[in-house]
Amino acid sequence: MRDRVIWIVSFLICLVALVVNPATREFALWNVVVQAAIFIPSACVPAWRTGRMSYVDFAWPAGVLTLGIETFLFAQELTALTITAAVLFTLSGGRLMYWGYLVMKPGWLTEEFPRYQYLRLVWEKAGLRGERLSLQYEIGVQATANMSYFALPCLVIATNPRGGLNIVEILAIAVWVAGYVIESVADVQKGRFLGGYATESRDVCDIGLWRYSRHPNYFGQWVQWCAAVLLAVPSAIALYDQISFVPWLIIAVGLLFLVRAIYTVMVYYSGAVPAEHYSALKRPAYKQYQAEVNRFFPGPRKKQLAPVS
């Protein structure tokens, strides 16, 4: 319960800093309304009726996509920088929202995704009761994240009227493209494996990028968020002279925290660890895969010593 309170308080502090800053206030307030309008009907209500949290896989990326659209609408000036930020968030959210849309189609979501089944184990270990309320809390966490920390790059960049792109921003765009390609290629390779390469004797996807990371798609998505933070750094520095020190400090620390927060989500919250819990239980060969391949950051495969006979 204490951790839940800490997360909510941190989100609210970030949101307050955005609202008290005149340069980000209108964008921030409208974003609260937009995110609520997405999450309540597409995730909160279905989760309450069915007891399944998987609907959030549509709501969260839809919220990311709308951050891109809102950047078009609320940017002080439509410049190369603000248009780029809007396009990047729209593409990233739209790509994931498509897969989330498939979840929402009638008859497709018949049982909870494994990563959200894993959440029940976390709640049980923490002694939390009231599954329906826990579901709403977890969905609320993702909604308020889109209202606060996850919105920071867009809100900060939208305040920058400078035309053109500097070297840091160009580097950030290149990093984002690399992350997007990694995530997309990893998903295609996994799809091909499941569609034709998987057999009873080979039930672990270790082809292509999956030979060097057990979750290259999550790594690629994390790289995109790191790039978004880097893209916002020059704008955050420029914002220093426009607002009071305390709100600026909260926003600056929030941008840095976002890198860690996304890593935590991709690895521990709804990514690698929850997925691998069930993979290791269902597929004996997966433990060997875990021993040889890095969990998140790509790297060379580890050589395993042959068992002593």
Side-chain angles (χ1 to χ4, degrees), residues 194-252:
L194 295 175
Y197 299 154
T199 63
E200 291 184 2
S201 60
R202 188 185 183 188
D203 60 353
V204 175
C205 179
D206 60 352
I207 61 172
L209 296 174
W210 299 83
R211 288 185 56 79
Y212 310 104
S213 168
R214 303 202 299 270
H215 301 280
N217 52 344
Y218 293 150
F219 172 75
Q221 191 174 151
W222 177 74
V223 168
Q224 291 169 60
W225 281 98
C226 291
V229 170
L230 182 61
L231 187 67
V233 166
S235 298
I237 294 173
L239 191 62
Y240 179 80
D241 294 328
Q242 302 179 38
I243 64 175
S244 301
F245 176 73
V246 173
W248 179 86
L249 181 62
I250 293 172
I251 290 171

Side-chain angles (χ1 to χ4, degrees), residues 17-27 76 159 242-244 247:
L18 293 169
V19 171
V20 299
N21 172 21
T24 56
R25 181 180 299 147
E26 184 180 13
F27 190 162
Q76 289 187 13
T159 67
Q242 302 179 38
I243 64 175
S244 301

Side-chain angles (χ1 to χ4, degrees), residues 172-203:
I173 294 169
V175 172
W176 186 92
V177 171
Y180 190 85
V181 170
I182 290 171
E183 182 185 18
S184 300
V185 169
D187 283 343
V188 169
Q189 291 172 340
K190 185 64 170 285
R192 287 179 177 175
F193 177 82
L194 295 175
Y197 299 154
T199 63
E200 291 184 2
S201 60
R202 188 185 183 188
D203 60 353

Side-chain angles (χ1 to χ4, degrees), residues 248-262:
W248 179 86
L249 181 62
I250 293 172
I251 290 171
V253 172
L255 277 172
L256 296 177
F257 173 76
L258 180 55
V259 173
R260 174 66 184 182
I262 291 292

Side-chain angles (χ1 to χ4, degrees), residues 114-128:
R115 58 181 173 272
Y116 299 128
Q117 294 176 19
Y118 182 83
L119 269 181
R120 271 75 170 181
L121 302 179
V122 175
W123 299 339
E124 183 179 352
K125 185 177 181 179
L128 297 173

Side-chain angles (χ1 to χ4, degrees), residues 24 26 34 40 42-43 95-96 100 131 161 208 212 243 266 276:
T24 56
E26 184 180 13
V34 170
I40 291 173
S42 66
R95 180 183 176 281
L96 293 173
E131 183 174 295
Y212 310 104
I243 64 175
M266 294 292 103
E276 292 192 357

Side-chain angles (χ1 to χ4, degrees), residues 20 42 49 63 77-78 92 100 134 149 178 191 222 248 257 277 288:
V20 299
S42 66
R49 294 178 59 186
E77 299 286 344
L78 286 179
S92 183
S134 290
Y149 288 118
W222 177 74
W248 179 86
F257 173 76
H277 174 79
Q288 180 70 18

